[in-house]
Amino acid sequence: MLDFIKPEKLNWRHYFGGAALLFIIVQLLTGLFLTLFYDPTLKNAYKSVQYITNELTGGSLMRNLHRWVAFSLFLAVAVHTVRSTLRLDFLNSSKRVAWMTGVLLLWPLLLLVYSGLILPWEWKGYWFMEMVPNYAAEVPLVGAALKDFFLDTFTLPRYLVIHILFLPIVCLVLFDYHLLARLRRRGIFRYLARHTIITLPFLAAVVVLALYVTIPSEDPDIIPLPLEGEYIPTPEWYFTLILLPFLYLKGRWVFVLSILIPFVVYVAAAFLPYFLRPRTSAEEEEAGGGATLLSRLWNEGWTRYVVRFTAVTVITAFIYSLIWLGSYNSPTFGCNSCHNLYRGFRMGIPPDDFKDRKKLPNLDDNEWMMGHWFYPTEIY
């Protein structure tokens, strides 16, 4: 039995890929629970979320686990990606497909965050629904058509289907090429058992956060402060990062920084093994035989642990520092301090004519919308 659960290598840094898989499984289970009690209608969606959070036994834990696991999933993916990059996995011919599908997985995972943010249909979800068509409108030539498409096709039931069915199927297909095909030969349950043991501290931390750092949903009985949520990590941090240029810039720079550069980097990263000629097994052996001092430090002796830990930690910390600097002052819990039924029907529920830009011209002003998102007490 001990041989079954003992990790192959007693090095927890090897297991962030496995941790990401476990987080996805937890997301699936908590998401199924939430779906059973969610009402995908404009007038009742947030009421059903409040029922889940405030009245349903275990509902608050499931909802907050779903949120904290989503944030932690991307942290695990970031560490896993940094380690894979430093190991030059994209130069390994046997890992070419795994590398490409791993990068491609980031897109449906981000879309899961986006669609999941909209489904509660309180004002924060409504805001994100409005921002994405504006984001698409910045694409040259086809932007106006994309914007109309997103607005015309949006309904909560459709987004629910996308969130719980379409995107999970896309993720499953990519995951099968990325990992599951190999695991079926080695034993999926054996792999999960081993990685569950090594991931227990991270899972315990997520449970503690889900219990004690919760989404306020008691309005209008208990109204959160307007700036509540500042400094608290949330999944929307990842999505607001690509929207930040709207806050500070206008014109072509928004397109360059928010769309063009992320797209080019993403495609280049996904197909990097096809741009560079992967090493053959013979070349791998030859490269190992004539290793440089840096490669020996990375692969040999006790120093490799120090070098790997330092490199992965510094790079991941740098990436998350940029995310934090961009989003730390986003009051992601405070929307309902102003937007609740106590302050009137129009303020409490997203308007029925939310798609009509003529009645709500501010919705076309990206700078204003992002300003109100980050500074709701100053820009309104």
Side-chain angles (χ1 to χ4, degrees), residues 144-216:
L146 281 175
K147 179 178 179 177
D148 290 340
F149 172 80
F150 280 117
L151 289 173
D152 293 342
T153 59
F154 170 77
T155 65
L156 283 179
R158 287 173 186 161
Y159 270 52
L160 179 63
V161 171
I162 290 172
H163 186 73
I164 68 173
L165 185 62
F166 176 74
L167 290 175
I169 290 175
V170 173
C171 287
L172 180 61
V173 172
L174 291 173
F175 244 116
D176 192 53
Y177 283 99
H178 183 68
L179 180 65
L180 297 182
R182 297 198 310 273
L183 287 189
R184 282 197 294 271
R185 295 191 296 268
R186 294 165 49 188
I188 293 178
F189 293 107
R190 182 184 181 89
Y191 178 90
L192 290 176
R194 289 176 167 179
H195 284 73
T196 299
I197 298 299
I198 205 73
T199 309
L200 279 178
F202 302 103
L203 293 173
V206 168
V207 171
V208 170
L209 290 169
L211 287 171
Y212 295 102
V213 186
T214 60
I215 308 172

Side-chain angles (χ1 to χ4, degrees), residues 64 81 139 147 280 288:
N64 284 284
T81 302
V139 179
K147 179 178 179 177
T280 63

Side-chain angles (χ1 to χ4, degrees), residues 345-359:
F345 183 80
R346 169 64 177 82
M347 289 288 288
I349 299 175
D352 291 333
D353 52 0
F354 58 89
K355 297 181 182 183
D356 191 338
R357 262 43 182 180
K358 294 181 180 179
K359 293 183 179 179

Side-chain angles (χ1 to χ4, degrees), residues 261-314:
I261 291 179
F263 176 77
V264 170
V265 170
Y266 179 76
V267 172
F271 293 94
L272 190 61
Y274 296 89
F275 300 148
L276 303 175
R277 189 172 66 87
R279 292 173 178 171
T280 63
S281 300
E283 288 173 332
E284 289 282 348
E285 292 179 5
E286 183 179 347
T292 63
L293 174 62
L294 182 60
S295 65
R296 286 200 299 271
L297 287 174
W298 183 260
N299 294 306
E300 301 176 8
W302 65 269
T303 56
R304 63 179 174 172
Y305 298 110
V306 177
V307 172
R308 290 177 180 180
F309 177 82
T310 303
V312 173
T313 301
V314 169

